[in-house]
Amino acid sequence: MTKAKILRKKYVGLLFSIGICCQLYAQTPVVPLQPIGAERRGLSVRFIYGKQIIDQPSALQIPLLELGDPAVRTAFEGYVNNRKVIKWLGFASAGFSLYTIFNREKVSSTVYWTTVGSTMLVSTYFNIRANKQLVKAISRYNTVLRHSQVGVVVSPLPNQSASVGLGWQYAF
């Protein structure tokens, strides 16, 4: 074999091994987001995303945040923060009740029932507020999902540079 053929084979082998070892930057399949529906059953609400029934609103975090809309993100974070406040109020109320059980002579019944009642009222207020934030996030999500969108996309490239594009999406 001539020197040129050997060099050509080495060059092809080198390119082949680089092609196998390096990550290919192909397009990944994008799962389209679907609208979120709500179904009321008495005092509870079930959410429908795709063909799945979801009982817990916290499970809607992934589709709501994948949309990338700042208004949806802010409203859902408001829902989460209000739920945290409700949880802490429950812990405080339970702690105060335990303290009252072990120290009955130090806490009068008026103070106890006033504290428990006011905790329930404040907790109800934050629960209503959290549900309003959730409804706001879901309605904004469905609105953005069903309407056409125009936006600028900046994507990083492997060689430490960026690609800028203008996109238009229209829902049929």
Side-chain angles (χ1 to χ4, degrees):
M1 286 207 303
T2 65
K3 200 172 192 179
K5 286 184 180 181
I6 294 173
L7 189 59
R8 194 175 310 141
K9 284 184 181 182
K10 285 183 180 181
Y11 184 72
V12 169
L14 178 68
L15 287 177
F16 183 74
S17 63
I18 289 174
I20 290 175
C21 296
C22 294
Q23 179 182 4
L24 298 175
Y25 291 97
Q27 293 180 350
T28 57
V30 176
V31 178
L33 295 173
Q34 299 174 0
I36 298 172
E39 178 182 287
R40 295 201 180 274
R41 288 194 158 190
L43 294 176
S44 66
V45 177
R46 293 182 355 175
F47 299 97
I48 302 165
Y49 180 73
K51 294 180 181 178
Q52 297 177 351
I53 295 175
I54 300 171
D55 291 326
Q56 296 295 324
S58 298
L60 297 172
Q61 178 178 3
I62 293 172
L64 287 173
L65 297 181
E66 273 188 5
L67 186 63
D69 188 53
V72 173
R73 179 179 299 274
T74 304
F76 188 75
E77 287 174 354
Y79 165 76
V80 171
N81 291 336
N82 284 317
R83 295 301 298 171
K84 285 180 186 176
V85 169
I86 293 168
K87 190 185 303 181
W88 282 107
L89 282 171
F91 287 144
S93 177
F96 183 71
S97 295
L98 285 174
Y99 175 78
T100 304
I101 288 171
F102 293 121
N103 300 308
R104 292 180 189 225
E105 65 279 350
K106 292 183 181 178
V107 180
S108 69
S109 65
T110 308
V111 171
Y112 174 77
W113 288 111
T114 303
T115 304
V116 170
S118 62
T119 303
M120 285 176 43
L121 285 174
V122 171
S123 185
T124 302
Y125 167 74
F126 278 106
N127 196 14
I128 291 169
R129 192 170 155 186
N131 288 336
K132 283 184 180 180
Q133 291 291 325
L134 182 64
V135 167
K136 182 178 177 182
I138 291 174
S139 64
R140 172 71 181 165
Y141 170 86
N142 288 334
T143 302
V144 169
L145 198 62
R146 290 187 177 129
H147 288 85
S148 61
Q149 302 172 3
V150 176
V152 176
V153 179
V154 179
S155 300
L157 294 175
N159 61 357
Q160 303 299 327
S161 63
S163 170
V164 179
L166 180 65
W168 177 53
Q169 179 181 357
Y170 182 76
F172 291 97

